[in-house]
Amino acid sequence: MAALLPHLPKRIRLTPSSSTQWICRTCQQRRAFTPSSTALQTQPPPRPSQDDNKTTHFGYETISSTLKASRVGAVFSSVASNYDTMNDLMSLGIHRIWKDNFVRGLNPGIRGERKEGQRILDIAGGTGDIAQRMLDHATLVNDDKRTHVTISDINPEMLAEGRKRFGNSPYRLAKRVDFLEANAEDLSAIESGSIDLYTVAFGIRNFTHKDVALREAFRVLKPGGVFACLEFTPQLSNPVLNGIYKRWSFGAIPLIGQVVAGDRDSYQYLVESIERFPSQGEFRDMIREAGFLIPGRNGVDEEGERMGVGQGWEDLSLGIAAIHKGVKPV
Amino acid sequence: MASPAVVRTILRTPAALRPLLLRAPRAAYHEQHHDQATPYGDAERTILSHALAYVPAHGFTQEAITFGAKDAGYLDVSRNLFPKGTFDLVMYHLVTQRQGLKDRIQFPDETMGVGKKVRSLVIERLRANADAGVVWRWQEALGVMSLAENIPASLRELGLLSDEMWFLAGDTSVDGSWYTKRASLSGIYAATEVFQTTDQSTEFKDTEQFLDRRLEELRVTGSAVGNTMQWMGFQGGALMNMLRSKGVRI
């Protein structure tokens, strides 16, 4: 591969065709880069029996839990400036449809006279695309001019993109949008029981401890409030389509990242982190364990098994992404 | 009680099985115990039961669900608890009315025929729609039920209602007529319910006459079909015998 591209700008880092080890001098750690272009890795390495407190996964690597947040931070700092363009390229523009569907399904905004507007918290929503859609829907569809969205992200570069997007828009001037730099596992800046709608779109797979984040979500939501999550799924249900999808993910996406953004490793991390995410059923159970009621899966049949009108999540695009929702009981 | 036929039945039954004769015969395949399971949890049931009170004024819409959620102590955004939206509200109404049918009507008079009991049950179920105040909003509900993703669940619920009515009327058929009875009653009930949505007469008298006409048609068609099949059977048998008498080896 290196022979085909003899003249490379310095910023593009190519993984050599054999595995190498190099030592990061500042942190005295070994890192092994395995080539991803030679073997399309559709089988992730067997998950090490992880003690949740000590190690976690970072894509296919296993790293110490304390380091994950900073590694993820590094990834998103480097992709922040062209995050939206990269999303368009990777999903061929379909991510816009997913996000529109997500927001329309949630139907934010209150019709009619109400004393207070809805308070929405968008987690890991640094660039503000979900927040923009929420405010547009509430204002234009439900004629609600009092909805307020707080955009929260752990990464200041992503938040800066969000601030740029809102610029001097009417929402910003009417103080309907706020920016908060916070870790989703520790939202102490937000008081308990103050949020109507908590959303996280394509962010939760990067969290070190998803259950902690879910419990924080439970805490900040008002009784009756809704937790909504839009996220990629690790496998499609149809094996043939899954094969095609994985070839695209592991083959094309890091390549697009390398060619367009000059950052293959970040996009390699992104597709690997999707592979590591729990399946829809497992994630639904995690949401239920945090205390939420699952829409469409709340009934109990004669044998005591959970049942309902649906599975408890909504698949998008044949299962590439899924919407999970939970309602905090009163 | 002590007729010869009864005594003969008792004496022919093995001694160990005679206690079973004491129980009234019931169709064992009716879901006696399972019909109480609903796919909705407590939170959904609370919200939807409050929401039904708003249906006469607001129809089967998201507004009714939102008002119901507010009444039940939830938030506006809690309408996300219903992935199928207004169809959940319609289904809740259908399920509670079907399960409540046995409490609304009892048949103390044992000599009433099955046909008459079925008629009373259909009329009672339609009256339940009127009592809930949904008759003038029922066309909205029918529209929601006829959306492609909702058709299977709606048809299933219609089938369950028809089964419930035949069961409460005391149907004990064990042959193919079990299926044809339920299918025909489903059709008749659906047609009568649609007719009721435009019925302006006092106490829905026109609907009752519509129902009587449909049941009469069913009776006449049933006997006509039966007679025709019998005639064809005779003709076929006669043809066979005639051919055999001519020496054809069949």
Side-chain angles (χ1 to χ4, degrees):
Chain A
M1 189 91 172
L4 297 170
L5 302 162
H7 302 292
L8 300 165
K10 271 207 172 124
R11 64 196 177 109
I12 294 183
R13 293 168 278 160
L14 270 189
T15 57
S17 58
S18 58
S19 76
T20 62
Q21 291 187 341
W22 52 270
I23 300 173
C24 164
R25 289 210 184 93
T26 40
C27 48
Q28 296 285 324
Q29 285 178 351
R30 279 173 193 271
R31 282 166 56 173
F33 273 78
T34 52
S36 56
S37 55
T38 50
L40 288 170
Q41 298 202 15
T42 54
Q43 315 284 329
R47 300 181 188 210
S49 53
Q50 22 174 285
D51 179 28
D52 253 303
N53 295 330
K54 294 280 179 336
T55 62
T56 182
H57 55 82
F58 179 77
Y60 286 169
E61 278 182 63
T62 306
I63 59 170
S64 161
S65 297
T66 45
L67 291 178
K68 176 154 181 177
S70 57
R71 291 282 295 272
V72 171
V75 166
F76 280 93
S77 293
S78 72
V79 305
S81 55
N82 41 22
Y83 185 70
D84 289 330
T85 318
M86 283 309 304
N87 278 343
D88 276 329
L89 286 169
M90 290 196 296
S91 66
L92 308 175
I94 298 175
H95 74 108
R96 293 170 193 269
I97 304 175
W98 290 337
K99 287 170 183 164
D100 286 339
N101 185 345
F102 182 57
V103 170
R104 247 182 251 137
L106 286 168
N107 197 10
I110 301 178
R111 289 198 175 173
E113 293 300 312
R114 287 280 193 276
K115 289 216 183 61
E116 4 160 308
Q118 271 183 347
R119 296 198 66 86
I120 302 175
L121 176 62
D122 183 28
I123 294 285
T127 53
D129 44 7
I130 294 284
Q132 172 102 52
R133 286 175 167 87
M134 294 273 183
L135 288 166
D136 283 342
H137 185 100
T139 314
L140 301 171
V141 174
N142 284 327
D143 196 25
D144 177 354
K145 296 192 171 46
R146 275 155 314 166
T147 345
H148 179 275
V149 180
T150 302
I151 302 177
S152 165
D153 203 295
I154 195 176
N155 190 303
E157 275 93 4
M158 296 286 276
L159 274 180
E161 290 297 316
R163 285 194 175 93
K164 241 193 277 173
R165 174 195 287 265
F166 278 96
N168 278 324
S169 66
Y171 297 135
R172 189 82 182 266
L173 295 169
K175 295 205 193 344
R176 289 175 68 186
V177 63
D178 255 332
F179 296 89
L180 171 69
E181 188 180 327
N183 186 334
E185 297 168 19
D186 176 23
L187 294 171
S188 34
I190 300 177
E191 53 175 277
S192 307
S194 63
I195 300 290
D196 285 274
L197 175 60
Y198 175 115
T199 59
V200 50
F202 301 121
I204 199 161
R205 71 178 185 279
N206 301 309
F207 294 175
T208 316
H209 298 111
K210 291 181 264 294
D211 48 346
V212 177
L214 289 170
R215 283 200 293 274
E216 270 298 276
F218 192 83
R219 180 186 69 80
V220 301
L221 278 171
K222 294 179 188 167
V226 170
F227 165 88
C229 165
L230 172 63
E231 191 52 80
F232 288 108
T233 58
Q235 305 286 335
L236 270 59
S237 42
N238 181 322
V240 172
L241 293 174
N242 192 41
I244 299 171
Y245 168 62
K246 289 293 145 87
R247 285 185 79 90
W248 163 262
S249 288
F250 283 90
I253 290 177
L255 186 59
I256 295 174
Q258 174 186 315
V259 168
V260 174
D263 185 358
R264 185 188 194 91
D265 297 325
S266 298
Y267 292 93
Q268 184 69 27
Y269 160 74
L270 288 178
V271 294
E272 287 176 1
S273 64
I274 294 171
E275 199 71 19
R276 286 294 199 182
F277 195 68
S279 70
Q280 291 99 309
E282 287 166 5
F283 191 55
R284 176 201 63 202
D285 293 337
M286 283 171 72
I287 297 175
R288 183 181 282 134
E289 251 162 72
F292 292 103
L293 305 170
I294 307 293
R297 198 76 178 171
N298 228 14
V300 179
D301 67 7
E302 315 81 42
E303 281 97 37
E305 298 291 321
R306 289 269 172 206
M307 56 98 89
V309 298
Q311 305 158 304
W313 72 83
E314 186 192 333
D315 273 333
L316 300 174
S317 300
L318 303 169
I320 299 178
I323 297 177
H324 293 265
K325 290 186 191 170
V327 178
K328 179 168 174 175
V330 294
Chain B
M1 188 58 199
S3 73
V6 171
V7 172
R8 222 178 292 135
T9 314
I10 295 174
L11 290 174
R12 278 183 186 159
T13 318
L17 297 179
R18 276 180 204 153
L20 291 178
L21 292 174
L22 290 172
R23 290 205 325 217
R26 301 199 92 124
Y29 33 75
H30 180 83
E31 293 185 8
Q32 293 187 54
H33 307 290
H34 296 185
D35 64 351
Q36 298 306 322
T38 55
Y40 299 118
D42 289 331
E44 284 102 322
R45 283 203 295 271
T46 322
I47 296 180
L48 291 173
S49 56
H50 282 100
L52 279 178
Y54 288 93
V55 164
H58 296 269
F60 285 96
T61 54
Q62 286 282 353
E63 270 79 37
I65 296 179
T66 314
F67 284 124
K70 299 286 296 185
D71 271 0
Y74 286 78
L75 304 170
D76 288 66
V77 75
S78 309
R79 58 187 166 225
N80 281 290
L81 193 51
F82 303 105
K84 297 204 176 202
T86 48
F87 184 63
D88 280 328
L89 186 55
V90 172
M91 190 52 80
Y92 179 74
H93 171 79
L94 291 174
V95 169
T96 44
Q97 292 300 341
R98 171 172 59 85
Q99 292 177 348
L101 194 54
K102 61 180 177 297
D103 300 321
R104 287 181 73 101
I105 188 165
Q106 273 90 33
F107 297 110
D109 181 11
E110 284 301 323
T111 60
M112 206 177 180
V114 172
K116 281 206 170 49
K117 284 185 188 171
V118 165
R119 181 185 179 279
S120 312
L121 281 161
V122 172
I123 290 176
E124 190 54 41
R125 175 66 183 80
L126 294 170
R127 269 208 201 106
N129 266 358
D131 290 344
V134 304
V135 174
W136 312 120
R137 296 289 184 179
W138 196 245
Q139 289 182 350
E140 289 170 28
L142 289 170
V144 170
M145 285 196 277
S146 62
L147 291 174
E149 67 261 19
N150 296 332
I151 288 177
S154 311
L155 288 176
R156 183 167 181 273
E157 192 51 42
L158 179 61
L160 288 173
L161 176 65
S162 168
D163 180 42
E164 181 78 14
M165 286 188 201
W166 275 113
F167 176 73
L168 292 173
D171 173 49
T172 54
S173 54
V174 293
D175 56 358
S177 70
W178 189 92
Y179 295 96
T180 57
K181 279 177 182 167
R182 276 145 186 81
S184 52
L185 184 59
S186 302
I188 291 174
Y189 176 77
T192 318
E193 199 178 46
V194 173
F195 183 89
Q196 190 196 24
T197 61
T198 59
D199 185 10
Q200 306 273 1
S201 61
T202 15
E203 307 243 344
F204 299 108
K205 274 205 273 301
D206 288 349
T207 309
E208 285 187 33
Q209 288 170 1
F210 181 90
L211 176 64
D212 288 333
R213 287 197 295 272
R214 299 285 82 73
L215 289 172
E216 180 63 22
E217 275 171 12
L218 181 66
R219 199 188 59 77
V220 165
T221 320
S223 69
V225 166
N227 289 342
T228 310
M229 296 305 292
Q230 197 180 34
W231 176 85
M232 283 172 62
F234 287 147
Q235 295 299 316
L239 182 66
M240 287 288 135
N241 290 331
M242 191 189 63
L243 290 172
R244 280 177 192 148
S245 73
K246 300 291 180 200
V248 178
R249 293 181 191 283
I250 43 172

